[in-house]
Amino acid sequence: RSDMQPASFTASELLAAAQPLGISRIVLIQMSYYGFDNRYMLDCMAAHPSVFGGVAIVDPEQADVADTMRELAARGVRGFRLYTNREKAEAWQHSEGIKRMWTAGGEQNLAMCLLADPDALPAVKTMCRAFPNTPVVIDHFARIGMRGAVDPQQLALLCDLARFPTVHVKVSAFYALGRKQPPYDDLQPMIRQLRDAYGAQRLMWASDGPFQLAEGQGYEPSLALIRDRCRFLTTADRDAILRGTAGRIFYE
């Protein structure tokens, strides 16, 4: 328990933080603490149908991984998280298990949800080219800006992936990027560049809870950046980023 920060973050605690802000649907991400055992997430999804979507973690080396993905999809899971840096992403091209996952994702319309470092993006591009039908969601701007100012070369790599129509990007984890302080206005240029490259229909806001809350910043300033402060976003853009894109990927 001492390794878990915060030590408790139940479904009711999550809803208590989110619902007062008008957040009515939440995509749960399988917590790494539990490995491939997705039961807690699945139980929360079942207890709150139509509220919680899900992104699971599966063992790519499992021979029947495609069947496992199909079984989880029947329970509402629409994505599968993969942790990656350059070394791991480059190894994907030689992993039969990863190839089975990406193939199944394309066949079943299930997203590969990548918690990726910026140096993984060239290898991610190779995978997108090899599996053009597989939905891809890149978390937290591919962590660009985690070490400080946004690197324009890294951002160019992320924008280059917009050439693949199945790639989407989460605009999220503002508390961990750039200056790391509300109101996060230093991240507006990156959001604008991604909107111009991808279109708002392939961007989605996310909170990165509970870590956003653990930093004491709450959800409101993170939500407000998209809802109120990015004046270059149209009403349709904001609706897509805050609702439409995630609804299409994780609930349909």
Side-chain angles (χ1 to χ4, degrees):
R1 181 172 286 257
S2 64
D3 291 336
M4 301 172 69
Q5 297 296 330
S8 175
F9 197 61
T10 63
S12 60
E13 289 170 315
L14 170 57
L15 292 171
Q19 287 181 333
L21 299 176
I23 299 171
S24 58
R25 279 181 162 182
I26 300 169
V27 180
L28 302 178
I29 311 293
Q30 165 72 351
M31 180 51 70
S32 59
Y33 307 130
Y34 303 129
F36 305 131
D37 183 352
N38 295 279
R39 287 178 297 169
Y40 179 50
M41 182 186 74
L42 293 169
D43 285 351
C44 291
M45 292 169 62
H48 299 271
S50 79
V51 174
F52 290 143
V55 173
I57 299 178
V58 296
D59 182 1
E61 301 309 317
Q62 181 183 347
D64 58 350
V65 65
D67 292 335
T68 299
M69 291 169 65
R70 188 176 297 107
E71 292 167 3
L72 288 167
R75 301 180 68 177
V77 169
R78 292 293 179 268
F80 294 87
R81 167 159 275 191
L82 291 168
Y83 300 89
T84 192
N85 53 23
R86 183 181 67 183
E87 182 179 1
K88 291 178 180 178
E90 289 176 348
W92 285 351
Q93 302 169 48
H94 312 290
S95 168
E96 294 305 315
I98 290 292
K99 291 178 182 178
R100 285 194 293 268
M101 280 191 68
W102 283 65
T103 298
E107 293 173 348
Q108 302 175 45
N109 197 33
L110 302 172
M112 301 295 103
C113 298
L114 311 184
L115 187 59
D117 291 337
D119 64 1
L121 294 176
V124 170
K125 179 179 178 179
T126 299
M127 294 295 291
C128 293
R129 186 181 294 115
F131 298 91
N133 297 320
T134 303
V136 175
V137 177
I138 297 175
D139 289 350
H140 312 328
F141 301 96
R143 293 173 164 177
I144 294 169
M146 185 165 284
R147 292 186 172 89
V150 170
D151 185 319
Q153 293 181 329
Q154 293 176 347
L155 183 54
L157 290 174
L158 182 57
C159 288
D160 184 53
L161 292 178
R163 69 174 67 188
F164 302 101
T166 58
V167 176
H168 306 74
V169 178
K170 282 186 187 176
V171 291
S172 51
F174 305 141
Y175 73 96
L177 305 174
R179 296 174 188 158
K180 302 180 172 66
Q181 290 294 327
Y184 313 120
D185 285 335
D186 59 305
L187 301 178
Q188 285 201 39
M190 178 161 62
I191 296 170
R192 185 167 195 160
Q193 193 166 334
L194 287 168
R195 191 282 309 271
D196 292 346
Y198 284 85
Q201 294 74 25
R202 290 199 280 150
L203 302 181
M204 65 183 82
W205 175 83
S207 66
D208 197 29
F211 306 111
Q212 174 88 30
L213 299 173
E215 291 293 320
Q217 297 180 14
Y219 282 177
E220 172 59 28
S222 175
L223 185 61
L225 178 62
I226 302 299
R227 186 191 62 207
D228 306 322
R229 302 188 67 82
C230 290
R231 300 295 178 84
F232 55 87
L233 296 174
T234 67
T235 299
D237 287 343
R238 288 192 292 271
D239 186 68
I241 294 171
L242 294 174
R243 180 182 295 107
T245 306
R248 186 179 73 253
I249 297 296
F250 293 114
Y251 288 91
E252 292 181 1

